[in-house]
Amino acid sequence: MGYLWLKAFHVAAVIGWIGGMSVSSVFIAVHVASSRPLAAGESRMIEIVRAWDWKVTTPAMLLAWALGMTMAVQAGWFSSRWLMVKLVLVFGLSALHGVQSGMLRRMARGANRSPPTFLRYSAPAVLMAIAAIAILAVVKPF
Amino acid sequence: MPPTEATARTDERDLLRRMRLVSLLEGATLVALLFVAVPLKHIAGHPAATSIIGPIHGMAFLLYVWMLIQTVSGADWSRAEIARAVIVAFIPFGAFANERFLKRKELALAGSVSPEGKWDTSG
């Protein structure tokens, strides 16, 4: 597959991944802020967000990894410092997504333990990380 | 309405089953990298083997770590269990010990044995 096609599908996958993470981030932040028990409609909402996370966000993340890795190997970027910094941010985003997925599962079970407070700030963290990733990938400053 | 206890247990068991598969994939790619690709590169002079298996193992490792984070965030694993699951990912053939550990956790959810491997007679 040509570089431009790989890049196009990689960007599309990243948009799907980050869009899904943003939805989960806002949803979990609302849950963290509220101490009252979940209403019936909210439980249904958790199931919808969880299903989206499992069927869209997670496959998009896996596709973004695979296509990104393929591009980096083909272009020989693994010795570039910008890619190393980008990979650290990608690992951070992936870890945050793992925590979010686990928390959504816990919330769906109606478990008592409330989500960690740091998840309240995950939406701005995701946006800052993706902005930095976009700059690193496009400008390749070092 | 929250899912029933039985549905939640089935979900957790399915997750642990996927985790076992990913653990075996990670372990198999690590073994292939260390015992096939690296000797091919340094002894037989075929660097292409590492450039193919290396990224595949990288993906499998990333997937394993992501699955582990997702699994422990949604369940109540002890710190020792988390540390064990992380350490085995770096040890060749460690995945096979991990497979047994995850299988025991899976069976514990089914109510037959405890995660430590002892028979659970409480139920």
Side-chain angles (χ1 to χ4, degrees):
Chain A
M1 197 186 287
Y3 169 75
L4 286 178
W5 281 102
L6 280 176
K7 189 171 161 181
F9 284 118
H10 177 67
V11 171
V14 169
I15 290 169
W17 175 22
I18 299 303
M21 275 191 76
S22 300
V23 170
S24 299
S25 298
V26 171
F27 185 80
I28 293 170
V30 169
H31 187 76
V32 172
S34 169
S35 56
R36 64 177 170 73
L38 290 175
E42 286 174 315
S43 296
R44 174 80 187 120
M45 193 68 191
I46 289 179
E47 285 306 321
I48 293 169
V49 174
R50 242 190 107 194
W52 186 268
D53 182 73
W54 182 245
K55 291 174 184 167
V56 179
T57 313
T58 302
M61 179 191 73
L62 297 177
L63 193 62
W65 286 354
L67 295 174
M69 189 82 81
T70 307
M71 280 197 299
V73 169
Q74 282 190 358
W77 285 331
F78 274 105
S79 54
S80 308
R81 274 186 295 167
W82 67 267
L83 184 66
M84 293 301 116
V85 178
K86 183 178 178 253
L87 283 179
V88 170
L89 293 168
V90 170
F91 292 150
L93 278 175
S94 304
L96 179 60
H97 179 234
V99 173
Q100 286 182 336
S101 281
M103 279 301 147
L104 287 172
R105 204 169 78 251
R106 193 182 274 275
M107 285 160 71
R109 271 206 317 269
N112 288 330
R113 206 183 86 177
S114 57
T117 314
F118 75 85
L119 286 179
R120 186 181 293 189
Y121 308 104
S122 56
V126 167
L127 289 180
M128 281 192 285
I130 199 65
I133 284 171
I135 291 166
L136 287 165
V138 174
V139 181
K140 298 181 179 58
F142 38 79
Chain B
M1 218 171 109
T4 63
E5 176 71 19
T7 313
R9 273 174 176 252
T10 306
D11 275 0
E12 287 299 313
R13 288 217 314 273
D14 288 346
L15 188 70
L16 285 169
R17 198 172 302 126
R18 282 196 290 271
M19 178 89 195
R20 275 199 297 133
L21 286 174
V22 172
S23 174
L24 286 174
L25 176 73
E26 190 275 336
T29 56
L30 178 62
V31 168
L33 181 67
L34 293 181
F35 299 106
V36 179
V38 172
L40 273 175
K41 180 182 178 180
H42 293 288
I43 299 169
H46 293 294
T50 50
S51 60
I52 293 167
I53 297 179
I56 292 172
H57 172 65
M59 281 286 299
F61 179 77
L62 199 54
L63 183 60
Y64 174 76
V65 173
W66 181 83
M67 281 286 295
L68 182 63
I69 292 170
Q70 195 220 22
T71 305
V72 301
S73 298
D76 294 310
W77 284 37
S78 69
R79 283 184 184 177
E81 286 175 330
I82 297 169
R84 174 198 171 122
V86 170
I87 290 165
V88 293
F90 294 93
I91 302 171
F93 303 105
F96 303 104
N98 205 29
E99 199 271 342
R100 287 194 295 275
F101 164 69
L102 291 169
K103 182 72 183 173
R104 282 201 300 273
K105 282 194 84 70
E106 208 180 306
L107 289 172
L109 272 174
S112 52
V113 290
S114 68
E116 288 77 29
K118 296 169 190 154
W119 290 102
D120 184 1
T121 53
S122 61

